Amino acid sequence: MILLEAKNIAQIWKNETKQELDSLKISGLREPHLAIIQVGDNPASSIYVKHKMKACAEVGIKTTNYNFSNISEPALIQLVESINYDPLVDGILVQLPLPAPILKRNIIKYINPLKDVDGFHPSNIGALATGHPTFIPATPLGVQFLLKKYNIDIQQKNVVVIGRSNIVGRPLFYLFSNPPNNNTVTLCHRYTKNLPEIASKADILMVAIGKPNFVTQDFVKEGAVVVDVGINRLQIADNQSKIVGDVDFEHVKSKCSAITPVPGGVGLMTVSALLSNTLLAFKRIHGI
Amino acid sequence: MILLEAKNIAQIWKNETKQELDSLKISGLREPHLAIIQVGDNPASSIYVKHKMKACAEVGIKTTNYNFSNISEPALIQLVESINYDPLVDGILVQLPLPAPILKRNIIKYINPLKDVDGFHPSNIGALATGHPTFIPATPLGVQFLLKKYNIDIQQKNVVVIGRSNIVGRPLFYLFSNPPNNNTVTLCHRYTKNLPEIASKADILMVAIGKPNFVTQDFVKEGAVVVDVGINRLQIADNQSKIVGDVDFEHVKSKCSAITPVPGGVGLMTVSALLSNTLLAFKRIHGI
């Protein structure tokens, strides 16, 4: 069984981005600039934003953090539009979740698709869905990078994705179904009947539903590759908790040919994926 | 076995559209206006365009047909953009296929998404893919309408779609996977291994690959619903041909609980779907 640890791979990817940025800087270009918009005081969001800004600084991407305790939908749209037209900003990221009553899709559709480094704008989703990706959302992009670096064959397999969020499950479906991966993908969700039976047909099983230890041995075919995107905090005693995935790792690992750990797996890839997408936006805007 | 004949259903749908248009006209609105752009002299395209224009006339939709034997990509884009801004045109349809070297996605992305009655613009695909459909492409919309009118249960089933074209297979996937249908859908294609095994798990099997009689008995579960989107001309003797679907109808029908015939099935639904989408565009533009 191969443990698909991400720490070194995420660092390698980050280094690749840094090297490319260094060489672009030598050629005389300004540094890329990412705008990060955060609304509300979700503590997890604040930690994510901090990680993203730190990683950007490490590779040479300038960031501006717009942080609002409270803002109306129209005012937020106005901000997004002003950044859209700012030639000195290459990427726009709206940290999710957005607090009610703001609807994320009301905001995301106003982001200039060329600056949409999260890949959530409908036209970027459409491009990915039809096999001509512009920006691939960070988590699916990170999963693909991780599996490839471990030389996992991710082409023409039977793949089952459990969970159909717009951030993970659905874009995983598009990315792994389309050329060049050409897998046969089944997208499962809360209404799927006989889920263990369907999942246990998968050569590659991907799970992103946010339910601790949901995937048990009977979901997994002998020799399958298991990708666990879940990150759940599980209370194990008074005042004591631990982070677990959606997969019952201890009981499943012996059946897998490869499995991502939680923590230390997919979650570590997403910031590197964001850096890569920001570099991509920068290069496109500069016609490189 | 229920034969899912479309002729009457397509007519009922057309009548519904006509009735709504009649009542809008009474309220004083101008008639809807659809621009149909055709390039080259593909004989099948000419027949389709003629059918579409005739059906539009029947329900009270004005059409303008732009017909070019030859036009450059930039000139075609310029035409599309001029129609985008014409307040007297509600829908734009670019008849496919476009002759080489014109790339259809280079043209489609310039159509105003609000006038994209085919639903092929990336942002409309993205909206459908993420469960907030704006325009649903005609074939999937027609399939859904047909099955519902026959009271086929199309929710929370295991669905297998064979074929992943942007016009049929992929949008069938989005429409049937997303709420409110919530099926568990597997998307199969030329690289799918053990296709009969996968297909024969389906409660609803949909086929759109353009290969005559490709789906044989061993693809079909006892009691399945089979939707055949294929339209193939098969040579049966010198100077004699007939239209067949992708399903070996004669040998498969006895296993199905319901099956669409070819001809007389899904193909008849698409023009009615186009009328419905044009009405939708018209209503949105007029804030109805």
Side-chain angles (χ1 to χ4, degrees):
Chain A
M1 188 273 292
I2 303 168
L3 191 63
L4 302 169
E5 292 180 293
K7 197 176 168 191
N8 291 338
I9 310 279
Q11 187 60 49
I12 288 168
W13 198 3
K14 216 193 261 183
N15 293 345
E16 285 176 9
T17 299
K18 184 176 184 335
Q19 273 168 25
E20 199 169 342
L21 281 172
D22 286 346
S23 71
L24 290 173
K25 199 179 269 179
I26 289 168
S27 77
L29 287 176
R30 67 164 170 79
E31 61 188 358
H33 183 182
L34 174 66
I36 301 179
I37 301 173
Q38 191 189 346
V39 184
D41 50 5
N42 182 316
S45 289
S46 298
I47 293 171
Y48 285 133
V49 167
K50 224 171 85 181
H51 283 166
K52 289 170 183 175
M53 292 179 69
K54 184 165 165 276
C56 282
E58 281 165 17
V59 301
I61 295 172
K62 180 182 166 183
T63 52
T64 300
N65 186 12
Y66 296 86
N67 202 324
F68 302 93
S69 56
N70 201 1
I71 187 171
S72 70
E73 229 180 69
L76 189 52
I77 290 168
Q78 203 170 18
L79 171 68
V80 167
E81 293 205 310
S82 73
I83 306 175
N84 283 342
Y85 290 108
D86 184 343
L88 297 177
V89 180
D90 310 291
I92 304 174
L93 181 160
V94 177
Q95 182 65 38
L96 301 178
L98 288 168
I102 301 177
L103 260 181
K104 65 181 176 208
R105 66 192 171 90
N106 286 354
I107 306 303
I108 288 169
K109 70 179 178 189
Y110 284 99
I111 297 176
N112 179 344
L114 296 170
K115 299 187 177 184
D116 172 39
V117 291
D118 264 340
F120 295 155
H121 186 281
S123 75
N124 288 327
I125 300 275
L128 175 63
T130 55
H132 301 285
T134 44
F135 292 107
I136 300 170
T139 302
L141 188 60
V143 167
Q144 180 178 257
F145 194 94
L146 182 66
L147 296 180
K148 278 188 174 172
K149 282 287 177 185
Y150 275 99
N151 291 314
I152 306 277
D153 183 0
I154 57 168
Q155 298 197 342
Q156 300 183 33
K157 303 294 179 190
N158 286 323
V159 174
V160 171
V161 175
I162 306 179
R164 57 173 174 179
S165 74
N166 284 330
I167 293 173
V168 182
R170 286 185 177 118
L172 273 173
F173 175 89
Y174 313 136
L175 183 61
F176 282 84
S177 169
N178 279 327
N181 292 328
N182 291 317
N183 297 289
T184 300
V185 190
T186 304
L187 186 59
C188 300
H189 44 71
R190 70 182 74 235
Y191 300 104
T192 298
K193 291 158 188 167
N194 49 9
L195 186 53
E197 191 196 322
I198 293 171
S200 61
K201 296 279 188 293
D203 304 314
I204 305 175
L205 177 62
M206 302 180 176
V207 194
I209 50 170
K211 291 188 181 169
N213 301 323
F214 179 82
V215 168
T216 49
Q217 271 197 328
D218 53 327
F219 283 68
V220 179
K221 184 170 79 172
E222 197 68 49
V225 173
V226 174
V227 175
D228 186 353
V229 187
I231 298 177
N232 312 288
R233 184 170 292 277
L234 199 64
Q235 205 71 23
I236 50 172
D238 281 1
N239 290 325
Q240 235 193 323
S241 65
K242 66 170 184 173
I243 298 295
V244 300
D246 293 342
V247 177
D248 182 1
F249 184 83
E250 283 309 319
H251 294 98
V252 163
K253 65 180 180 186
S254 59
K255 284 186 94 174
C256 306
S257 63
I259 183 169
T260 61
V262 178
V266 175
L268 296 181
M269 300 299 295
T270 54
V271 171
S272 295
L274 170 66
L275 301 178
S276 173
N277 275 346
T278 305
L279 168 60
L280 189 62
F282 178 73
K283 285 162 66 179
R284 289 211 190 108
I285 284 174
H286 287 83
I288 298 164
Chain B
M1 188 272 291
I2 303 167
L3 191 61
L4 303 168
E5 291 180 295
K7 197 176 168 191
N8 292 339
I9 310 277
Q11 188 61 49
I12 289 169
W13 198 3
K14 216 193 260 184
N15 294 347
E16 286 176 9
T17 300
K18 184 174 184 335
Q19 272 168 24
E20 199 168 343
L21 281 172
D22 286 347
S23 69
L24 289 173
K25 199 179 268 178
I26 290 167
S27 76
L29 286 175
R30 66 163 171 79
E31 61 188 358
H33 183 182
L34 174 66
I36 301 180
I37 302 174
Q38 190 189 348
V39 184
D41 50 6
N42 183 315
S45 289
S46 299
I47 293 170
Y48 287 133
V49 168
K50 223 172 83 182
H51 283 167
K52 289 171 183 175
M53 292 177 69
K54 183 165 165 279
C56 282
E58 280 164 19
V59 301
I61 294 172
K62 179 181 168 185
T63 52
T64 300
N65 185 13
Y66 296 86
N67 200 325
F68 302 94
S69 56
N70 200 1
I71 188 172
S72 70
E73 227 179 71
L76 189 52
I77 290 168
Q78 204 170 18
L79 171 67
V80 167
E81 293 205 310
S82 74
I83 306 174
N84 282 342
Y85 291 107
D86 184 342
L88 296 177
V89 181
D90 310 291
I92 304 174
L93 181 159
V94 177
Q95 182 65 37
L96 301 178
L98 288 167
I102 301 177
L103 261 181
K104 65 180 175 211
R105 65 192 170 91
N106 286 354
I107 307 303
I108 289 168
K109 70 180 178 190
Y110 284 99
I111 298 175
N112 180 344
L114 295 170
K115 298 187 177 184
D116 172 39
V117 291
D118 263 341
F120 294 156
H121 187 281
S123 74
N124 288 328
I125 299 275
L128 176 62
T130 54
H132 301 283
T134 44
F135 291 107
I136 299 168
T139 302
L141 188 60
V143 167
Q144 181 179 256
F145 193 94
L146 183 65
L147 296 180
K148 278 186 174 173
K149 282 285 175 186
Y150 276 99
N151 291 316
I152 307 278
D153 183 1
I154 57 167
Q155 298 197 342
Q156 302 184 32
K157 302 294 177 191
N158 285 325
V159 175
V160 171
V161 175
I162 305 180
R164 57 172 175 180
S165 75
N166 285 330
I167 293 172
V168 183
R170 286 183 176 119
L172 273 174
F173 174 88
Y174 313 136
L175 184 61
F176 282 83
S177 169
N178 279 327
N181 292 327
N182 291 317
N183 297 290
T184 300
V185 190
T186 304
L187 185 59
C188 299
H189 45 69
R190 69 181 73 236
Y191 300 105
T192 298
K193 290 157 188 167
N194 47 11
L195 186 52
E197 190 194 325
I198 293 171
S200 62
K201 296 281 187 293
D203 304 313
I204 306 175
L205 177 62
M206 303 181 175
V207 194
I209 51 172
K211 290 187 181 168
N213 301 324
F214 179 82
V215 167
T216 49
Q217 270 197 328
D218 51 328
F219 283 67
V220 178
K221 183 170 79 171
E222 196 73 46
V225 174
V226 174
V227 175
D228 187 353
V229 186
I231 297 177
N232 311 289
R233 186 169 290 278
L234 199 64
Q235 204 70 25
I236 50 172
D238 283 359
N239 290 326
Q240 234 194 321
S241 66
K242 65 169 184 173
I243 299 293
V244 299
D246 293 343
V247 176
D248 182 0
F249 183 85
E250 282 309 319
H251 294 96
V252 162
K253 65 180 179 187
S254 60
K255 285 186 92 174
C256 305
S257 63
I259 182 170
T260 62
V262 178
V266 175
L268 296 181
M269 300 299 295
T270 55
V271 170
S272 296
L274 170 66
L275 302 178
S276 173
N277 276 345
T278 305
L279 168 59
L280 190 62
F282 179 73
K283 284 163 64 181
R284 288 211 190 108
I285 284 173
H286 288 83
I288 298 164

